[in-house]
Amino acid sequence: MVDSAIRKIIHVDMDAFFASVEQRDDPSLRGRPVAVGHGASRGVVAAASYEARKFGVKSALPSVTALRRCPELIFVPPRFEVYKDVSRQIHEVFARYTDLIQPLSLDEAYLDVTANKSGIETAWRTAKAIRKAILDETGLTASAGISYNKFLAKLASDHRKPNGQFAVTPDMGEAWVETLPVSRFHGVGPVTAEKMKRLGIETGAHLRAKSLGFLQQNFGSSAEWYFAIARGVDDRPVNPNRVRKSCGSETTFDRDLTEPGEIEAGILRMADDVWRWCEARETFGRTVTVKIKYGDFQQITRSRSQPSVIVTQENLQRCAIDLVRTVLPPIKGIRLVGVTVSNFGEAPAADLAAGVELPIFGESEAA
């Protein structure tokens, strides 16, 4: 008999979220290959419809490559404010079924429905009710994974996409994990998956066969995680109070830039994007990081921290500009810049009220 204390966790993942919103709002796009992003030579795909995915178009793919794979591809500029509004609708649906919601992004979240707030008999039926409510109220489809831990629920949500759901029960979890490729596991990125392949680890069964000592020798601090998930074990709770650690914005230029004034202008736009997020949430950080990607895809970052959090837009701009100037004039053309704020903390009320300018940088680091 299954222990009644076992968690009931649902991972809800919207189907091709950005692209589906665009197809919903523009009927002429329905059934056609759509990419959210910009089709310019330096553009990048932010999201792709399922019709486009059949051609190998996916997020982060350069636009020119996407068009080569799918000449009929339709590019639609992103409307992030619309996506945020729809995401708020979806989270209002979640809140009817549980108080334990851990958002991962605009289009996915973990829900712990163990307490059965809605009075629905099973987690399976709860997931169906959530998906139906989302469809009825937003016109969009969602997929869901149901299991006794977060790792398995996330894997399961991808198993019947799009517009489906799949459950991994306690009596099948370990055996099911053994059948899957490790490249699907959360925490195993492409580089790690390739390393595992070289070590003869391609499936969950291969991973489970390795000792903890072997994994520690080859994967260091990640070894215990890999050892646990190979056995279907994940004790992490759904944490509705998970604190966001950073906020960033980046842009890819239409051409490689070498003129300092143009590069600084791009940095200022990204700093302003980040400031709007910080100001709207009254969330302020001490550390500013500037990201630079050259035309040959070499990437560097420059970071500095202040003694106190940054509470004015002007100070954030000045921090970002000072950082980018450490690499100007550039040794080669720059294709992308980004700005991130992290190391969040409390801002003194008096500083917020006065919009006080803080002393420029304290400790610093560069990578």
Side-chain angles (χ1 to χ4, degrees), residues 126-360:
T126 302
K128 287 184 73 71
I130 290 170
R131 292 174 50 236
K132 182 179 185 302
I134 290 172
L135 179 61
D136 290 346
E137 296 175 35
T138 71
L140 302 170
T141 63
S143 296
I146 305 101
S147 196
Y148 54 95
N149 67 43
K150 291 164 70 174
F151 171 71
L152 292 172
K154 186 171 175 66
L155 278 176
S157 67
D158 196 44
H159 208 61
R160 291 285 184 267
K161 267 188 166 288
N163 196 25
Q165 62 183 57
F166 185 74
V168 181
T169 59
D171 60 349
M172 66 179 279
E174 292 184 49
W176 187 66
V177 167
E178 290 188 359
T179 68
L180 301 176
V182 292
S183 58
R184 284 188 54 189
F185 292 178
H186 178 63
V188 179
V191 174
T192 301
E194 185 58 36
K195 180 177 180 179
M196 286 186 173
K197 184 177 180 179
R198 292 196 300 270
L199 294 169
I201 303 171
E202 297 190 58
T203 68
H206 296 152
L207 184 59
R208 179 165 184 163
K210 300 300 182 182
S211 69
L212 179 59
F214 175 89
L215 296 176
Q216 287 172 330
Q217 181 180 353
N218 288 281
F219 300 103
S221 61
S222 299
E224 291 188 5
W225 170 250
Y226 297 147
F227 188 82
I229 62 175
R231 292 155 176 78
V233 175
D234 177 11
D235 296 326
R236 296 173 302 158
V238 172
N239 181 8
N241 299 314
R242 189 181 66 154
V243 177
R244 183 164 178 168
K245 296 181 179 179
S246 66
C247 174
S249 184
E250 61 184 47
T251 186
T252 300
F253 301 122
D254 290 336
R255 55 186 171 79
D256 292 348
L257 300 185
T258 57
E259 172 57 44
E262 292 182 297
I263 296 164
E264 290 183 11
I267 285 288
L268 285 174
R269 289 198 301 274
M270 297 307 97
D272 289 345
D273 282 350
V274 172
W275 176 255
R276 282 192 288 270
W277 184 92
C278 294
E279 187 177 42
R281 292 159 181 79
E282 296 186 359
T283 301
F284 306 98
R286 292 177 54 235
T287 302
V288 180
T289 301
V290 164
K291 173 182 175 182
I292 297 156
K293 186 180 289 186
Y294 294 105
D296 61 3
F297 288 89
Q298 179 192 1
Q299 180 174 302
I300 63 172
T301 59
R302 295 290 183 266
S303 297
R304 288 178 183 168
S305 296
Q306 292 200 132
S308 300
V309 295
I310 298 167
V311 296
T312 71
Q313 183 175 8
E314 293 74 20
N315 206 5
L316 175 57
Q317 291 174 334
R318 184 152 51 95
C319 293
I321 288 295
D322 283 353
L323 284 168
V324 79
R325 284 178 178 170
T326 64
V327 299
L328 296 181
I331 57 175
K332 48 193 169 184
I334 291 176
R335 65 175 280 119
L336 174 150
V337 296
V339 174
T340 297
V341 170
S342 59
N343 199 4
F344 295 139
E346 291 288 329
D351 288 354
L352 285 174
V356 66
E357 285 288 342
L358 300 174
I360 206 62

Side-chain angles (χ1 to χ4, degrees), residues 81-93:
E81 288 307 314
V82 175
Y83 309 147
K84 290 175 185 176
D85 286 341
V86 177
S87 181
R88 280 190 284 270
Q89 285 183 272
I90 294 165
H91 281 77
E92 287 171 3
V93 172

